Amino acid sequence: MLATAGVLAGTFVALPTSATAAQNVVHADRSVVRSCFAALQPAGAPGTDRREVASTVDGLVQARLTPGAGAEGDWDLAVFDKATGALVAASAALRSHELAESFVKKGQQLVIQGCRYAGNAKEARLGVDFLALTPQGTPTGSAAPAQRAELVRVHTPSRADKNKLLGLGLDVTEKGDATGVEVVLAGDADRRTLAASGLKSTVVEPDLSAKSIRDAKTDREYAAKTAASVLPSGRTSYRHLYDYEYEMKELARKNPKLVKAFTLPEPTWEGRDVVGLEIATDVANTADGKPVDFTMGVHHAREWPAGETTMEWAYQLINGYAHDTTIRGLVGKTRNIIVPIVNPDGFSISREAEPRGDFTRFDYEMKRKNCNAADSPPQFATGVCKANPGGAQRGTDPNRNYAGFWGGGGAGLSWSSETFRGSAPFSEPESRNVRSVVSSRQVTNLITFHTNAALVLRPPGVADVRPPLEDPVYQALGAKLAAHNGYTNEPSWALYDTTGTTEDWSHWATGGWGFTIEIGGTGFHTPYEVGVVAEYAGLAPSTGAGKGGNSGALLEMLRNTADPAAHSTLIGTAPKGYQLKLHKTFQTPTSPVLQPDGSTKPPVYVTDNLNSTYTSTGGRFAWSVNPSTRPYVAGRYGRDPQGPAQAGYAVSNPAGVPPINESYPDNPASESFTFHVDGLPKVDNGKFSVDVNWANPDTDWDLYVYDAAGNAVTSSANGGTTSEHAVLFDPPAGDYRAVLVNYAQADPAQVDDWTGGVSFASPVPPTYGPKEAYQLTCTNAKGKLAGIADVYLDRGQTIDVGEICTNSARAAKNRSHG
């Protein structure tokens, strides 16, 4: 996302005009299954109603539907240009809560079409508003000129560098590695901020707006020449929000026993419904005890391939159930919840802002966050989200708003930060919607898709947290996913510190496996053929070519979901119609809460309630659940030392070595030294640290460490310091080479010699916490308590709770299972 509103957004204010259309009602005596946005229907066509209006402004049209009198139904909405019949805007969610919004010109003749898709509601209320886009601060009425947006790679070889970068308030992307992170610079102000920080950078893409236009052209050409792609849906172009909504309810309509479309509990800030799919045999029986695999996309608005990948997964499961015995078997053993667009407000703005005419808003195309205006200063909170003085900066990052370690480093503290964490944990409807699914269902497996770093990320988001006790198993599961898409499998903190992310809440609170998969590519929404088709199907040029791609990774996750050894199981006997419920209430502290002035306040305690149910069909049952003990309290991974740490030694600047340029590590004159790391049984090294020091602050040495094969394994390249420290945890035994670079290119006579050494430390032993219990209750068909017990479950464990539903409450009160 762009870090300032200085490209085009923020130069316009959205103001209501006196030509606002009156509220109205659309009416249809019967429903007709058809796309409302595919075509403008003739006046009087069955299942439709229409209104003709003329735009009074150069600006925005907002057409809304809300339920009319009587029953809730499913009405859709579309806005067409009357002269050409071209679609202007549309909305196709599951109920009659619709918002169709787009740019219009003064005098443009529009047709507003309401379509009754399903349900008993014969009418819905229609509202149409026009909002002028008025140039702000430009007396001549002309908009401020656009500034050049660019993509740079900021060199961050140390954790201190990464933390410094995150504190600048720039648009830090999710593409990076041990030595650098890509950052979007929106304009001159961002360039000045980065320059003043002292961090070094190189240009990756000098003009992002020009790249966006080229990518859009590439997408049009691909779609024009390709009848159908190899994707499960055959899709050849990026979907709009209304495409997602309509396809989901059509999949449910055509496969009623296998697919159910549903609306998540909370609408967005702009009033949109968030829509998902559930896929399972006997899909209506959501309390059947099967393990749940939850797949979602587009927390971040500009990351379009995340939604495409998630939607294609739904098609793959549905098509495969009919034609693929492997998928049919896996679907039969699991329940699949799929939410392609977690953040529909932001996505709609980004998707509709693609380059296409007078109202191109490149910064809106790069929008990352949601549309929350509550935390913005009053002068930036006016106007609709699609055009406001705060521009694309307005909003909260939904993937920094979960409770897991919220408030710590790795999230923005100010509303204008692209990673703004929000005013409190779960302050946003988008994160609360995901929380509602995870808290009410036994979600044993979760993947949230992002772009474009080609990574498989697992908790924790902060290295200082230390991983959960199950980290070796977690890492192995990530490796299975990465074997298909070819991505790097690593903990989230290895990219950079993050707090408040999805799986850093879901895993630590429930014990369910959770991953962020960063889809590979060359941008947030890479050309479709590469960023979606090739990455999903495992085709060149993706790193998953020939390995199955993200399709294979998703199937691997589903196999894990279906594997009883990967979660826990309750078995027992219950009469038909009796309901079992697992309940747990607990409080978890956030991180100490960083403040904008640099101070820290105490952690916030967040209360979670986990409540899931199973409905008996009579006789024996098996209910797949997560372990009872939360990883947060279970302890942290480590290992007991198997021997002493290796003794360290000192090194010094070798005499007579020429000054070094920046062409490391290819420069044969590199100033370097080698050292050897021993291993078991001689020593057990938990980490090594290569440390160098010098006296002259005008000297700038950078430090890079390579293994014997020439792979960079760690580095340190701070600016404005007189020391560097490169650390590697659990270093494999072998030879290493430390390379020092005279980064400032100072005259050799003015470069201080360095001194330093290599030190070693033992591994940190694991820590363990208390086991926790779920409270298990059973009630009869009338809701009367029939049994109660505490159950303790480890991963892979099956616990028999016997005939708990036929025990009296008093007799079962003190029973403890596990």
Side-chain angles (χ1 to χ4, degrees):
M1 260 282 289
L2 301 185
T4 72
V7 178
L8 283 178
T11 62
F12 295 89
V13 181
L15 300 172
T17 73
S18 59
T20 300
Q23 290 288 326
N24 214 327
V25 173
V26 287
H27 179 94
D29 288 329
R30 66 185 180 91
S31 61
V32 176
V33 174
R34 70 158 73 94
S35 165
C36 196
F37 56 81
L40 177 60
Q41 300 297 319
T48 67
D49 199 1
R50 60 193 283 178
R51 299 289 182 272
E52 296 187 10
V53 295
S55 172
T56 58
V57 301
D58 283 336
L60 290 174
V61 61
Q62 280 193 324
R64 289 183 183 270
L65 283 183
T66 54
E72 172 82 80
D74 184 354
W75 279 78
D76 296 339
L77 186 63
V79 181
F80 293 90
D81 180 85
K82 184 179 179 180
T84 65
L87 181 68
V88 174
S91 181
L94 304 182
R95 306 186 296 174
S96 300
H97 302 255
E98 310 291 351
L99 170 59
E101 176 186 65
S102 192
F103 296 107
V104 290
K105 295 182 178 180
K106 187 173 183 178
Q108 186 176 359
Q109 298 293 314
L110 304 172
V111 181
I112 314 295
Q113 178 170 273
C115 303
R116 182 182 169 190
Y117 175 85
N120 296 322
K122 292 185 178 181
E123 63 181 41
R125 294 185 64 82
L126 171 66
V128 181
D129 289 295
F130 294 103
L131 301 106
L133 295 181
T134 305
Q136 180 187 39
T138 51
T140 63
S142 60
Q147 294 190 32
R148 178 177 57 85
E150 63 180 317
L151 183 69
V152 301
R153 177 180 167 86
V154 179
H155 303 299
T156 56
S158 73
R159 186 145 301 278
D161 290 333
K162 286 184 169 63
N163 291 337
K164 183 177 184 179
L165 173 62
L166 294 174
L168 297 179
L170 298 175
D171 184 359
V172 179
T173 77
E174 293 167 343
K175 187 168 188 176
D177 53 31
T179 62
V181 182
E182 291 187 3
V183 176
V184 176
L185 302 179
D188 294 340
D190 284 359
R191 283 184 273 274
R192 288 192 294 270
T193 296
L194 182 60
S197 74
L199 294 170
K200 306 151 192 172
S201 67
T202 54
V203 175
V204 176
E205 179 60 56
D207 189 334
L208 283 173
S209 186
K211 180 182 185 302
S212 180
I213 293 170
R214 292 196 305 271
D215 288 350
K217 180 175 182 289
T218 299
D219 282 346
R220 290 192 298 270
E221 292 171 347
Y222 173 71
K225 70 181 182 183
T226 309
S229 72
V230 298
L231 294 172
S233 72
R235 186 87 188 180
T236 61
S237 62
Y238 282 109
R239 294 169 171 88
H240 299 266
L241 180 60
Y242 49 81
D243 290 317
Y244 283 103
E245 294 167 337
Y246 185 72
E247 287 180 40
M248 282 190 275
K249 63 187 180 186
E250 277 290 278
L251 287 172
R253 183 184 67 82
K254 294 176 181 179
N255 304 275
K257 294 182 179 179
L258 184 68
V259 184
K260 179 178 71 174
F262 67 96
T263 300
L264 279 82
E266 297 199 37
T268 66
W269 290 100
E270 294 275 283
R272 290 182 173 88
D273 280 345
V274 183
V275 180
L277 288 177
E278 188 152 352
I279 300 172
T281 55
D282 188 19
V283 69
N285 180 18
T286 57
D288 62 2
K290 293 176 181 177
V292 176
D293 190 16
F294 185 12
T295 308
M296 69 193 89
V298 190
H299 273 80
H300 295 149
R302 63 193 176 190
E303 297 173 4
W304 306 350
E308 295 291 328
T309 299
T310 306
M311 192 68 198
E312 291 303 323
W313 176 234
Y315 275 96
Q316 183 171 347
L317 292 177
I318 295 165
N319 296 344
Y321 186 79
H323 306 292
D324 186 307
T325 56
T326 298
I327 292 179
R328 186 180 184 90
L330 290 172
V331 170
K333 296 175 182 177
T334 61
R335 298 190 73 85
N336 293 268
I337 297 175
I338 295 171
V339 180
I341 309 293
V342 170
N343 175 12
D345 284 351
F347 172 72
S348 179
I349 288 170
S350 174
R351 183 67 182 91
E352 303 312 318
E354 62 178 321
R356 62 190 188 108
D358 294 343
F359 290 101
T360 295
R361 301 288 180 264
F362 177 70
D363 55 343
Y364 281 107
E365 185 184 337
M366 290 294 107
K367 183 171 178 61
R368 172 185 173 103
K369 300 187 285 184
N370 71 2
C371 283
N372 182 5
D375 297 307
S376 306
Q379 67 269 30
F380 297 117
T382 60
V384 299
C385 194
K386 200 176 187 74
N388 69 88
Q393 287 178 289
R394 190 171 83 177
T396 297
D397 183 341
N399 201 42
R400 298 295 185 275
N401 188 242
Y402 293 86
F405 309 111
W406 182 91
L413 311 185
S414 166
W415 73 274
S416 60
S417 168
E418 294 297 344
T419 59
F420 178 49
R421 67 194 183 193
S423 57
F426 293 116
S427 63
E428 307 307 304
E430 294 84 3
S431 59
R432 292 198 299 271
N433 275 331
V434 173
R435 182 193 198 186
S436 72
V437 173
V438 174
S439 297
S440 62
R441 310 293 291 274
Q442 288 289 336
V443 174
T444 63
N445 294 67
L446 178 153
I447 291 178
T448 172
F449 279 102
H450 290 253
T451 65
N452 62 318
L455 299 171
V456 175
L457 301 174
R458 65 184 185 277
V462 180
D464 290 344
V465 168
R466 293 178 57 202
L469 286 171
E470 294 181 301
D471 188 62
V473 182
Y474 221 149
Q475 181 179 7
L477 177 55
K480 288 183 178 180
L481 308 185
H484 294 284
N485 54 30
Y487 300 166
T488 299
N489 172 39
E490 63 185 16
S492 291
W493 59 261
L495 176 59
Y496 49 70
D497 281 351
T498 56
T499 51
T501 58
T502 312
E503 68 275 15
D504 248 358
W505 168 74
S506 67
H507 175 69
W508 296 96
T510 74
W513 302 121
F515 291 93
T516 286
I517 292 185
E518 289 275 348
I519 300 168
T522 59
F524 297 114
H525 36 271
T526 303
Y528 196 83
E529 182 180 12
V530 175
V532 179
V533 178
E535 293 290 337
Y536 191 87
L539 304 175
S542 75
T543 54
K547 304 171 185 176
N550 281 316
S551 169
L554 284 160
L555 274 173
E556 195 68 60
M557 192 65 156
L558 191 58
R559 290 188 190 96
N560 185 267
T561 307
D563 183 0
H567 50 264
S568 307
T569 309
L570 283 176
I571 61 173
T573 302
K576 183 177 181 180
Y578 277 53
Q579 187 178 78
L580 290 93
K581 179 180 179 180
L582 281 174
H583 167 75
K584 188 192 297 185
T585 299
F586 51 86
Q587 284 193 321
T588 308
T590 65
S591 300
V593 183
L594 297 175
Q595 302 299 307
D597 64 2
S599 64
T600 301
K601 291 186 176 180
V604 176
Y605 278 81
V606 178
T607 300
D608 276 305
N609 288 283
L610 307 183
N611 293 290
S612 53
T613 59
Y614 171 85
T615 302
S616 174
T617 56
R620 297 290 292 173
F621 67 82
W623 186 4
S624 297
V625 298
N626 282 312
S628 59
T629 300
R630 292 176 292 141
Y632 184 84
V633 300
R636 299 291 189 270
Y637 177 70
R639 55 185 181 84
D640 294 324
Q642 303 299 304
Q646 186 172 340
Y649 50 87
V651 293
S652 61
N653 186 183
V657 176
I660 309 305
N661 62 29
E662 290 186 56
S663 62
Y664 56 86
D666 300 325
N667 183 359
S670 293
E671 196 158 315
S672 65
F673 64 90
T674 59
F675 61 97
H676 182 78
V677 175
D678 290 324
L680 291 170
K682 184 178 180 180
V683 296
D684 189 3
N685 294 314
K687 70 175 182 179
F688 70 63
S689 178
V690 181
D691 310 290
V692 294
N693 305 276
W694 60 95
N696 184 356
D698 294 328
T699 298
D700 187 1
W701 288 106
D702 288 349
L703 172 63
Y704 299 85
V705 181
Y706 299 85
D707 64 16
N711 301 307
V713 294
T714 184
S715 58
S716 179
N718 297 297
T721 67
T722 56
S723 64
E724 300 289 358
H725 310 276
V727 177
L728 182 64
F729 291 94
D730 291 325
D735 293 321
Y736 292 83
R737 179 172 178 249
V739 178
L740 284 106
V741 175
N742 172 13
Y743 183 84
Q745 296 294 280
D747 187 291
Q750 299 175 346
V751 175
D752 270 12
D753 286 348
W754 49 263
T755 60
V758 182
S759 60
F760 297 85
S762 296
V764 178
T767 60
Y768 299 93
K771 292 188 70 173
E772 284 188 329
Y774 274 117
Q775 183 187 74
L776 174 66
T777 59
C778 182
T779 56
N780 63 21
K782 296 182 179 181
K784 183 178 179 181
L785 184 66
I788 185 170
D790 291 334
V791 291
Y792 296 83
L793 290 150
D794 293 326
R795 193 176 303 279
Q797 185 177 28
T798 297
I799 296 294
D800 191 339
V801 295
E803 299 178 354
I804 186 173
C805 294
T806 60
N807 296 326
S808 70
R810 182 181 300 276
K813 180 73 174 178
N814 296 316
R815 292 185 62 183
S816 180
H817 295 270

